[in-house]
Amino acid sequence: MEFVRKIINQGVILNYGITDRFKSRYLSVDFILPLTAENATGMSLLAGVMSRGCKAFPRMDMISRYLAKNYGASLSINAGKAGEMEIFTVSTNFLNDECAIDGEPIYSNMISFLEELIFSPLIAEKEFHSDIVDQEKKNLSDKMAALFNDKRQFSLERCKALMCADEPFGINEMGDEETLKTFDGKKLYAFYEKMISEALAVISSVGKQKDLNDTFVRRLCGRNEFDIQAACKTVDEIKEIVEPMNLNQSKLNLGFRLGENARKNGAACRLFNVLYGGSANSKLFLNVRERLSLCYYCSSTIDRFKNVMFVSSGIECDKYQQARDEIEAQLKAIACGDFSDEEFNNAKAYLIDSIRGANDSKSAIAAAMVSRTLRGEQKSTEQEINEIAAVSREDVISIAQETMLDTVYFLKGVQTEE
């Protein structure tokens, strides 16, 4: 696969993943703003509203029929966060022209469709329709409330919010209820105009062709410049929070700050996470869960933009201290070099296989291109694999040694009489 990057103008970047492996093409447009409560809430609400239609296709059924007419093309509009950035994504997947009957111009159709969807929203007098906005506000509010029902995800988000209470990273990717209440059709349209004109825009194309309609590309005029990567923070005192709740299974989450070595050596950071808790052969899974049976699940995830790591586990209430001690002990073991060559090589093989496997998914390829763009990297898959293969034991050890526990959040299950 060939990777090409073009800087269209300040704040607009175009990525191509050129390959003939697929019979279809994937195209995404990401609008990126600093993570704030308003940006997170506005983008999340806008995703719902813009999915409902545009001037050329004012109803959802019209959108569905148009996609079906173009050989079952797909459309997705959503918002999420990465580090301290909020990202609004419009993406579509559609058949290559040469695979269509009589060579129908599906590519041109879908580019025109995206232009309509992004640049001609369904508005009246510079306002989104109030009935649609109100409905989508209700949907987003319900989605925010539904997070509480997924205690595994709820406890992890709670840990992030408590650990980063004074940092943008503590803001939920959906925003919050109080900010949502301030939005109406007029304010949402003003937010839309701000996003279109100020957000960093990254266009990603995966498939055979590499030429994108110049008119479409140049309608984007993002100008926002901001720090993509948050500064490393030290830990002065470990925060410990226990919140009781009527649950059968307690949730233990630990938040860690990574150090400069993790920031500088992305390949070693990823390998460290796989070895520690990011795979079924990790230290946490094999020891905390399997050997000692201290939890129902136990895994680690990292956010390389924020340079933090979180361990998420489900445990019995009375095993809190044992589980916590063992999670910390496994980190210390890596910091002391207490892992075999077999464990180390298995972690490498797992990570390399996952990178190669991602090339089977056009959306994963596009996501990787966006991630590399935001980090200022321009690498091929093979370059990433070579970097991982070159990581030494000492590289991983140095990352573990700098990793500091910041926050312990325990959602303590208690049984109450009804």
Side-chain angles (χ1 to χ4, degrees), residues 5 228-229 305 370-379:
R5 179 175 301 159
I228 297 298
Q229 202 146 13
F305 290 110
V370 173
S371 183
R372 291 175 197 145
T373 299
L374 294 176
R375 269 190 282 274
E377 302 171 349
Q378 191 165 358
K379 300 175 184 176

Side-chain angles (χ1 to χ4, degrees), residues 102-133:
D102 298 327
E104 294 176 54
I106 303 174
Y107 166 75
S108 296
N109 292 345
M110 294 307 296
I111 291 294
S112 298
F113 173 70
L114 281 183
E115 278 195 88
E116 289 289 340
L117 200 69
I118 294 172
F119 299 112
S120 300
L122 193 59
I123 60 169
E125 300 297 327
K126 294 192 175 184
E127 290 186 37
F128 283 100
H129 294 290
S130 60
D131 56 338
I132 294 177
V133 173

